[in-house]
Amino acid sequence: MQPPVDGPHMLLQRSAVFYRQKHLLAIEGLQPPEIGQLLDLADSYVLLNRSGKTQRDLLRGRTLINLFFEDSTRTRTSFELAGKRLGADVINMGVSSSSVNKGETLIDTAATLNAMHCDLLVVRHDQSGAPNLLAQIVDAAVINAGDGTHEHPTQALLDALTIKRRKGRIAGLIVAICGDIAHSRVARSNIHLLTTMGCQVRVVGPPTLIPAEVADLGVTVFHDMAAGLAGADVVMMLRLQRERMTRGQIPSAREYFRFYGLDQEKLAYAKPDAIVMHPGPMNRGVEIDSAVADDPVRSVIKEQVEMGVAVRMAVLDMLSRGNRRNEP
Ligand code: NCD
């Protein structure tokens, strides 16, 4: 089937390509034109997906391996869907089905994958820096799907696309990122992206969950939801990542909800048209009240999931165009 004239296929052919890196390992260090172009390309994939059309010739004959050392539902499935919609052969490798459980090291696993001539390697790992290490070993283009507490670049891109489509812009907005900043790679990637694109970024949470260094990233720190949410255009809630916590970082889930859980009362501090975001999976009644999470007007949580597929299609497209440029 022919892609539509104004579809993703044409977008990069009409202008210079700004994103010229082989991998996508982090948002930190990306320039506004690179981010802007990825978002424009993703936006055109939203339209393509909604039209029901596909572009299966783009990655035909290419192999994408989803290598997940940590659990994931939406990130893994959306990379799978994105790869399939572009025609790639997609293979999912989870920890339980791989020989990592038998003691194989990350480097050995990488060498095995390399021998399979994989073109695109999507990696999630509980150690920060694991995708960077793999990128030095494998021939494939590596995409970081979340590494430890470091970065989760495609999540920040899908969040930015959701914001841009809802608010019509990114620059100049006040974005409050709330909750477990300390353990969140989503927060780190979003801070880099949103400050680079001209937002005023606030982080809001208890002192035990906000590392001191975060202030060096150009954000304002708040420990009180009323002050942190005042006048915000976007309220981004984060999951309490208890699996990464040492004991004693929060008193109890009930008390946490009382001070930092987003309910309608706390949301009222933000702008009347502020949107509510959450990367999922949500702890309902801990960091977010169901009435807010399911609010059809304010919550854009389902839209974030839809944007996730489009953003991953754009990233796969962009990186594979890069690879084609290197072909003889
Ligand atoms: C996030 C992650 O895995 O970092 N989830 C996601 O990708 N949808 C956030 C989280 O686990 O809380």
Side-chain angles (χ1 to χ4, degrees):
M1 188 184 291
Q2 287 297 311
V5 176
D6 285 311
H9 195 69
M10 295 304 293
L11 199 85
L12 293 186
Q13 289 183 3
R14 279 199 297 262
S15 77
V17 175
F18 297 119
Y19 194 93
R20 302 194 71 89
Q21 303 182 46
K22 182 173 179 190
H23 310 286
L24 176 63
L25 301 172
I27 296 293
E28 185 177 12
L30 296 190
Q31 301 303 313
E34 296 176 292
I35 295 170
Q37 194 169 52
L38 277 167
L39 295 180
D40 287 345
L41 186 59
D43 205 21
S44 68
Y45 274 113
V46 175
L47 301 180
L48 186 82
N49 289 342
R50 287 187 178 174
S51 76
K53 296 196 175 82
T54 53
Q55 200 170 289
R56 292 195 201 279
D57 50 338
L58 199 82
L59 296 183
R60 183 167 297 138
R62 290 174 183 257
T63 305
L64 182 156
I65 299 185
N66 264 327
L67 180 62
F68 277 63
F69 295 91
E70 260 191 359
D71 291 345
S72 167
T73 311
R74 63 209 85 205
T75 304
R76 192 190 56 71
T77 30
S78 69
F79 268 113
E80 181 173 355
L81 207 51
K84 286 182 173 164
R85 285 200 183 152
L86 296 177
D89 297 319
V90 181
I91 295 161
N92 292 312
M93 285 182 65
V95 162
S96 54
S97 60
S98 81
S99 37
V100 173
N101 278 350
K102 297 177 198 153
E104 194 172 277
T105 66
L106 186 60
I107 291 172
D108 287 339
T109 307
T112 307
L113 295 176
N114 220 18
M116 292 176 185
H117 302 294
C118 137
D119 300 288
L120 293 147
L121 182 61
V122 177
V123 188
R124 169 167 288 196
H125 202 284
D126 62 352
Q127 298 294 316
S128 302
N132 298 59
L133 179 67
L134 282 174
Q136 291 167 31
I137 307 167
V138 297
D139 297 326
V142 176
I143 300 160
N144 180 2
D147 62 330
T149 58
H150 173 226
E151 280 230 29
H152 191 350
T154 55
Q155 179 70 44
L157 288 166
L158 77 88
D159 290 338
L161 183 61
T162 310
I163 294 171
K164 192 171 172 208
R165 289 176 59 94
R166 275 290 176 130
K167 295 283 168 199
R169 67 192 165 114
I170 298 178
L173 296 176
I174 300 179
V175 182
I177 306 180
C178 309
D180 186 356
I181 309 291
H183 302 103
S184 179
R185 52 201 178 202
V186 174
R188 236 161 295 276
S189 286
N190 264 299
I191 289 169
H192 288 304
L193 191 151
L194 296 169
T195 53
T196 303
M197 299 307 274
C199 288
Q200 275 185 52
V201 181
R202 303 170 178 177
V203 297
V204 191
T208 45
L209 293 179
I210 301 191
E213 320 83 72
V214 86
D216 301 339
L217 302 180
V219 303
T220 319
V221 177
F222 292 84
H223 299 304
D224 173 62
M225 288 287 271
L229 263 52
D233 298 286
V234 177
V235 182
M236 186 182 290
M237 301 309 298
L238 299 172
R239 183 175 66 88
L240 262 191
Q241 304 209 6
R242 284 186 258 206
E243 76 278 16
R244 298 190 212 278
M245 279 185 200
T246 49
R247 285 160 62 101
Q249 277 177 291
I250 57 155
S252 74
R254 237 177 92 215
E255 199 158 334
Y256 182 83
F257 182 75
R258 199 170 133 230
F259 289 103
Y260 295 102
L262 187 70
D263 53 13
Q264 296 287 7
E265 206 179 306
K266 295 192 194 79
L267 182 56
Y269 295 120
K271 284 205 181 124
D273 63 348
I275 55 169
V276 174
M277 309 181 77
H278 193 302
M282 287 184 272
N283 295 308
R284 290 169 181 265
V286 179
E287 70 264 357
I288 191 163
D289 188 38
S290 277
V292 175
D294 302 329
D295 183 328
V297 179
R298 312 294 293 276
S299 168
V300 296
I301 295 170
K302 286 202 192 87
E303 211 166 304
Q304 287 174 269
V305 179
E306 182 191 358
M307 296 306 124
V309 178
V311 154
R312 282 151 189 146
M313 289 171 86
V315 168
L316 297 177
D317 178 345
M318 190 74 96
L319 295 184
S320 64
R321 283 174 200 248
N323 286 348
R324 277 200 292 277
R325 282 198 301 275
N326 296 336
E327 280 170 5

